[in-house]
Amino acid sequence: MTGMRGLEPLQVGLMFWTGGDLGFEATPDEIVESVSSLGVSCGQLGVHGNADLGPVSAAAWRSALESRDFRVVTAFTGFRGESYASIPICARTVGYVPADTREERERRTYEVSDFARDLGIPGLATHIGCLPSNPDAPDHLEVLGLVRRVCDHCAKNGQTFALETGQEPAAELLEFLRAVDRPNIGINFDPANMILYGSGEPLEALEALKDHLLTVHCKDGTWPETPGEWGRETPLGAGAVGMAGYVEALRGAGYTGPLTIEREIVGEEQRADIREAIGLLNSLRNLG
């Protein structure tokens, strides 16, 4: 996918949250001010599972974003009860795969889509969960139908719907995208997730999935030391992704959308790492 109206090609942005474990509890105005103070003016807004999506909250978020001319390109949907404590726990709790929360999470996704529409956000994204690799498995088929319905709802709101990469090899994700068969489906490519889950070389995966790029994360990490366990997230440039090669590959794929930094820790260390990441990405984007 090529660029987005009103943004510079490969403009550096930031993933931030409405609150929850990866954000901080404050007013929308305070959160947007904190993000803007890092020197970015675009990014993705993570909507945690307990976030208030009512009209008063939506108006406050819209005002906060508009007052700083901050462009959000994606609302990233999180759900109550999700845990990334380990890969097995992730498989049991994340996304639409767990059957006991599937209906509730489908409703919540529509609510986030409508919330994003009211904020003028053109895209939705989420982790759909650890799909069974067998396309005939009941959970696989149920999630396939759900994702089609989500795409249709997003289309009514003028939005794309992106699947976050990492929880399955690129070939399996590609087949799923083809099976969904909706014009507004695509991916939010996260190279570090391919490494952290041990699901494939990120640049090879990017090459396979490049025709479905909607948005990207810039995140780094190291490979798992033991198969089936997590790798380790690192500051950008300190892991195994190879940021220069990644940005070059994105440019070669025709992607000119935001380079959205994601650093999944909180506090002053996170802010220091984000500042370093902004400098690194700005140097790499200026090489093209």
Side-chain angles (χ1 to χ4, degrees):
M1 177 165 177
T2 55
M4 299 182 184
R5 189 173 59 188
L7 296 177
E8 297 175 7
L10 301 179
Q11 185 170 329
V12 177
L14 182 64
M15 173 83 176
F16 64 107
W17 287 82
T18 55
D21 292 343
L22 292 175
F24 62 98
E25 299 304 324
T27 66
D29 199 63
E30 290 167 336
I31 292 171
V32 178
E33 170 60 28
S34 176
V35 173
S36 298
S37 70
L38 290 164
V40 295
S41 59
C42 70
Q44 297 182 345
L45 176 63
V47 181
H48 76 287
N50 291 318
D52 178 6
L53 305 182
V56 174
S57 177
W61 275 104
R62 183 161 194 140
S63 174
L65 294 167
E66 288 180 347
S67 68
R68 291 168 181 81
D69 196 22
F70 195 99
R71 176 78 179 275
V72 174
V73 299
T74 309
F76 201 98
T77 307
F79 301 111
R80 287 181 294 185
E82 290 184 309
S83 173
Y84 292 84
S86 69
I87 289 181
I89 291 174
C90 172
R92 293 197 302 269
T93 66
V94 168
Y96 305 126
V97 175
D100 57 343
T101 55
R102 191 177 294 146
E103 184 177 345
E104 171 194 341
R105 290 178 178 182
E106 181 174 356
R107 288 196 304 271
R108 177 68 173 183
T109 305
Y110 300 151
E111 292 169 358
V112 175
S113 173
D114 294 347
F115 173 79
R117 175 202 62 209
D118 293 345
L119 270 61
I121 299 173
L124 206 69
T126 198
H127 277 292
I128 64 170
C130 298
L131 275 175
S133 57
N134 177 6
D136 295 320
D139 283 341
H140 189 111
L141 292 170
E142 289 287 335
V143 173
L144 175 62
L146 187 158
V147 170
R148 286 172 175 161
R149 294 191 296 273
V150 168
C151 286
D152 293 343
H153 186 95
C154 287
K156 292 175 184 176
N157 283 336
Q159 297 163 336
T160 56
F161 183 58
L163 312 185
E164 175 89 348
T165 59
Q167 295 170 334
E168 60 283 299
E172 291 182 13
L173 179 55
L174 189 59
E175 286 305 310
F176 185 79
L177 292 169
R178 289 169 176 162
V180 173
D181 192 27
R182 292 295 189 271
N184 61 332
I185 189 86
I187 62 167
N188 183 77
F189 190 84
D190 187 317
N193 281 353
M194 306 301 297
I195 291 171
L196 297 173
Y197 285 88
S199 55
E201 290 282 352
L203 297 191
E204 291 178 7
L206 178 59
E207 176 64 25
L209 295 162
K210 64 184 181 181
D211 292 339
H212 302 275
L213 277 177
L214 292 173
T215 47
V216 305
H217 281 165
C218 292
K219 189 169 74 182
D220 215 338
T222 57
W223 292 94
E225 295 182 3
T226 304
E229 295 184 0
W230 288 121
R232 182 176 61 86
E233 188 192 351
T234 69
L236 207 67
V241 170
M243 280 298 140
Y246 178 52
V247 173
E248 182 180 356
L250 289 171
R251 192 178 279 117
Y255 178 81
T256 57
L259 299 175
T260 301
I261 296 163
E262 183 180 37
R263 183 67 170 114
E264 295 188 296
I265 58 174
V266 295
E268 285 307 311
E269 182 182 356
Q270 181 199 43
R271 292 179 68 84
D273 288 350
I274 288 169
R275 290 189 184 96
E276 292 291 327
I278 291 170
L280 172 61
L281 290 175
N282 276 324
S283 67
L284 291 174
R285 68 187 284 262
N286 290 331
L287 292 176

